[in-house]
Structures are given as structure tokens and as C-alpha cells.
Amino acid sequence: KAGVTQTPRYLIKTRGQQVTLSCSPISGHRSVSWYQQTPGQGLQFLFEYFSETQRNKGNFPGRFSGRQFSNSRSEMNVSTLELGDSALYLCASSNTGQANEKLFFGSGTQLSVL
Amino acid sequence: GENVEQHPSTLSVQEGDSAVIKCTYSDSASNYFPWYKQELGKRPQLIIDIRSNVGEKKDQRIAVTLNKTAKHFSLHITETQPEDSAVYFCAASSPRGYQKVTFGIGTKLQVIP
């Protein structure tokens, strides 16, 4: 099976712009979760989707949003970008999204906000 | 919500020595504790996990221990090798939240040949 695929791999944006990141899960996986990785904060949970529904959300402002399509692919959107949004954004997929399931991560999208 | 603290943030060991990374969690309902390894420029990958009904689990040179009473768990790597150099993340997950896995801040392990 192909692994979790994230596109694009790198993004450079300026403050105030918006960005959309894409994540294709492993075939058959229906849960997709998103994480923000920064050197000082580690991996922070953004949100989790299952069957096109957001089931859980982390402590991020409303500028961070996402969605999931019927084929389980997910997108994450960040509006009105701030310098502090510069980070590696990782998505992970699992079969059903149960709490004790192994997460399969993508390679991430490195976002730089100038 | 859950809070996971991890230490040390950096760890250097000589090849062949052991490495220990410790984590504590706050939510007594957490019952699943995975460990992920992230090599430089690569994606995190699960290396070992433990459930709350087990006190210790081993997989070759890697072992994890869990103390539910004290709410802490540890990763032990024996006979370290240069390829063990990476960032290691501990995590805790509660059945109350679908895949709301809370990660520690990470430990950068450097194995010196």
C-alpha cells in the first residue's frame, strides 16, 4: 500500500495570505488527523476527521480549519497567516481513529511565513 | 485536557551505552502510550507502544515501562547504535477522545560512535 501522501512538500507565504494543505491517507484508512510540529512545542494536535466529520479539535484559533472528502482525503486551511504559523504540518491516518490505533504519518508540509 | 511532559530534551550517549527517556501524563483515563521515532527530515514512525493493562513491553533493544499509579512511562534503548540517533516522542491517548493523541515535546538522542 502507498503511504500517507502530503502535498505540497514546501510552501512559502507572506503574512496575511491563506494556504491549503492536502493529505491523502493510506488506502482504506478513514481517519485523518493533523499536527503542527515546531522545535519548541513538539507535535500539537490540530483536528481529526472521520467520514467527512470533524470529531475532535485542538486548541488552535479559528484561522485553522479543515475538511475531509468522501474518499478520505483531507485538506487543511490556514487563513490570515501569521509569522508564528511557520511550522511543519503533519497529517496522520489510521483505520478508524480509535484512541489506541497506530498513526501513520505523512512526510509533512513545511510552511514558511515571511 | 491531557498534558504530557517529556525529558530530557536532548540526550547524548556513547555507542553501546543505554538511553532512557521519561514521560509523565496527567489524565488518569489515558490508556495507550505510543512512542514515535523521527529521523532527521523524515516522518515520525511508531517504534513501540504499551497499553495500560501492561507494565512492561520489550522489542529487541527497545523496552517501555509504565507506572499507572505514578502516571509515568519510560523508553529504554540498550546497546545504542548510531542509527538510533533521532528525535523520540512519547504520547498518551485517552479513549475519551478520538485520536486526540497528546505528544511530549520530544527528545533528541545523539549516539556518538
Side-chain angles (χ1 to χ4, degrees):
Chain A
K1 285 184 179 179
V4 178
T5 304
Q6 288 188 248
T7 57
R9 188 71 179 88
Y10 300 95
L11 266 178
I12 300 175
K13 293 286 186 180
T14 56
R15 280 181 299 173
Q17 287 187 309
Q18 74 167 19
V19 65
T20 299
L21 314 180
S22 179
C23 173
S24 293
I26 289 174
S27 178
H29 284 188
R30 295 165 64 189
S31 169
V32 175
S33 50
W34 289 87
Y35 291 84
Q36 182 193 66
Q37 184 176 13
T38 56
Q41 300 294 323
L43 286 160
Q44 293 189 292
F45 173 80
L46 282 155
F47 27 65
E48 186 261 353
Y49 286 89
F50 180 84
S51 293
E52 303 178 65
T53 300
Q54 185 183 91
R55 297 193 300 190
N56 223 327
K57 183 173 167 55
N59 296 324
F60 279 81
R63 300 185 297 106
F64 292 81
S65 63
R67 58 178 176 170
Q68 187 181 35
F69 303 93
S70 58
N71 61 357
S72 294
R73 189 177 71 86
S74 177
E75 287 183 347
M76 189 190 95
N77 185 75
V78 188
S79 63
T80 320
L81 284 166
E82 300 177 0
L83 295 178
D85 297 333
S86 294
L88 179 66
Y89 290 88
L90 292 162
C91 77
S93 75
S94 66
N95 189 15
T96 66
Q98 293 299 316
N100 60 358
E101 275 188 340
K102 175 181 177 180
L103 292 174
F104 292 84
F105 282 91
S107 295
T109 294
Q110 184 67 54
L111 172 64
S112 297
V113 182
L114 306 178
Chain B
E2 174 68 277
N3 182 50
V4 176
E5 294 188 357
Q6 180 175 352
H7 59 93
S9 57
T10 60
L11 179 60
S12 291
V13 299
Q14 293 289 330
E15 183 178 356
D17 287 350
S18 296
V20 180
I21 302 170
K22 299 182 179 181
C23 292
T24 60
Y25 62 98
S26 61
D27 188 351
S28 57
S30 289
N31 62 356
Y32 176 62
F33 306 92
W35 287 84
Y36 288 82
K37 174 184 180 182
Q38 186 178 30
E39 296 178 30
L40 187 62
K42 296 190 176 181
R43 66 191 74 192
Q45 291 190 303
L46 180 74
I47 54 171
I48 195 168
D49 56 15
I50 190 168
R51 288 168 171 73
S52 58
N53 58 346
V54 176
E56 183 176 6
K57 183 177 180 180
K58 289 183 180 179
D59 183 3
Q60 300 182 331
R61 297 184 297 106
I62 293 174
V64 58
T65 59
L66 171 65
N67 184 326
K68 285 179 58 180
T69 303
K71 294 184 192 170
H72 67 70
F73 56 114
S74 301
L75 178 72
H76 304 253
I77 306 174
T78 58
E79 300 174 16
T80 53
Q81 301 169 4
E83 52 264 39
D84 294 329
S85 296
V87 178
Y88 292 81
F89 293 96
C90 64
S93 182
S94 165
R96 292 189 289 208
Y98 288 108
Q99 281 295 11
K100 188 175 181 179
V101 181
T102 303
F103 286 85
I105 202 167
T107 295
K108 184 176 181 180
L109 172 64
Q110 181 184 20
V111 180
I112 304 168

